[in-house]
Amino acid sequence: MASLRTLSLNSLSVKSTTFSGRSSLTKVPSIVSIPNRSMNLKASNSSIEASLFPSLSSSSSKNGSTKERPSKVQEMFVYEINERDRNSPAYLRLSQNEVNSLGDLVPFTNKLYHGNLEKRLGITAGLCVLIQHVPEKKGDRYEAIYSFYFGDYGHISVQGPYLTYEDTYLAVTGGSGIFEGVYGQVKLHQIVFPFKIFYTFYLKGIHDLPEELLGKPVEPTAAVEATAAAKAAEPHAALENYTD
């Protein structure tokens, strides 16, 4: 027989009334508890992150902090010398103006020597974009993007301002080999434009540099020259497999 039923939330019972006037109480089965969905989502997300980014998960400590790169500053001294044997630099006058102008390009590559001038290290390779001609200072301002190559040790990339009339600092943007993960800055000291530059690197984020890249430099002057052995890249005066 058909019946009308009303649900009582407080008593969790159902009252049934039949057309015959009789009524009865029927217990409702226990309500099944629903898991906390937000907790499940958090646990699920944590599992996904751990599986997709294991390196991030493993590098975190118990208190949630992540492992930082070494912040020790290491100094390295390098000479860049144009010995007029690499057809460098090349001046691409895209502005088509007689005077150096915005947009002119200067690709270049020169030889690198240890700060003590006794060892051939490798080469530079890069590009300078002329930003401003500064006639009152008899020079130019460039935006420079280039790399220093050190044979099997790898390379360091830098970017920043190159002013032909004063010292500048460029950002160290990365590297390869023993320089993987490097950051910091490099001071560019113009000695004789465009033939001699002295660099002081301030490097962070890497392990201790090998001894043959360290050492006290020769004071930068217009007269500095690499030793004859270094110029000839003799085995004792050059990095093994140096970049040429």
Side-chain angles (χ1 to χ4, degrees):
M1 180 179 291
S3 63
L4 299 176
R5 298 176 178 175
T6 58
L7 176 64
S8 173
L9 294 177
N10 293 330
S11 62
L12 296 179
S13 62
V14 175
K15 183 177 181 181
S16 302
T17 303
T18 65
F19 290 120
S20 62
R22 296 179 181 178
S23 62
S24 62
L25 292 176
T26 304
K27 288 186 176 181
V28 176
S30 300
I31 298 176
V32 178
S33 61
I34 300 176
N36 188 321
R37 295 185 64 188
S38 63
M39 291 179 63
N40 285 348
L41 286 175
K42 289 179 180 179
S44 177
N45 289 340
S46 298
S47 299
I48 293 173
E49 289 175 0
S51 61
L52 292 178
F53 309 106
S55 60
L56 293 179
S57 176
S58 61
S59 64
S60 299
S61 61
K62 292 182 179 180
N63 61 7
S65 63
T66 56
K67 185 177 180 181
E68 297 180 354
R69 291 187 291 176
S71 58
K72 173 184 175 182
V73 179
Q74 301 184 68
E75 291 187 2
M76 183 174 69
F77 306 99
V78 175
Y79 276 98
E80 179 185 12
I81 299 180
N82 184 336
E83 296 177 345
R84 302 171 176 82
D85 59 351
R86 300 179 68 84
N87 297 317
S88 173
Y91 202 95
L92 307 179
R93 201 173 291 280
L94 300 187
S95 65
Q96 299 183 354
N97 294 329
E98 293 184 2
V99 178
N100 296 351
S101 302
L102 176 66
D104 290 348
L105 302 180
V106 186
F108 66 94
T109 175
N110 296 307
K111 294 179 181 179
L112 289 178
Y113 292 97
H114 190 287
N116 61 19
L117 293 169
E118 296 177 358
K119 180 166 287 191
R120 173 75 184 278
L121 301 181
I123 63 169
T124 55
L127 180 70
C128 289
V129 182
L130 196 141
I131 302 300
Q132 182 184 22
H133 179 54
V134 189
E136 62 272 21
K137 294 187 178 181
K138 299 180 180 179
D140 298 300
R141 179 188 184 92
Y142 292 90
E143 180 68 14
I145 305 171
Y146 58 113
S147 295
F148 297 73
Y149 290 91
F150 301 93
D152 290 345
Y153 283 132
H155 85 284
I156 297 174
S157 294
V158 303
Q159 179 176 354
Y162 170 40
L163 279 60
T164 62
Y165 48 84
E166 65 183 44
D167 295 351
T168 57
Y169 286 85
L170 296 86
V172 173
T173 58
S176 66
I178 67 169
F179 304 108
E180 181 181 2
V182 72
Y183 65 103
Q185 61 182 347
V186 58
K187 180 182 179 181
L188 183 159
H189 174 57
Q190 185 76 59
I191 304 172
V192 180
F193 174 77
F195 302 110
K196 295 178 182 179
I197 299 176
F198 178 69
Y199 296 94
T200 304
F201 284 90
Y202 303 95
L203 304 175
K204 302 178 184 179
I206 56 176
H207 297 296
D208 290 348
L209 293 170
E211 287 295 325
E212 65 178 331
L213 294 181
L214 302 175
K216 185 177 179 180
V218 172
E219 191 70 22
T221 68
V224 294
E225 293 287 346
T227 63
K231 286 184 177 181
E234 295 178 8
H236 70 283
L239 292 183
E240 187 175 359
N241 297 322
Y242 69 92
T243 310
D244 191 11

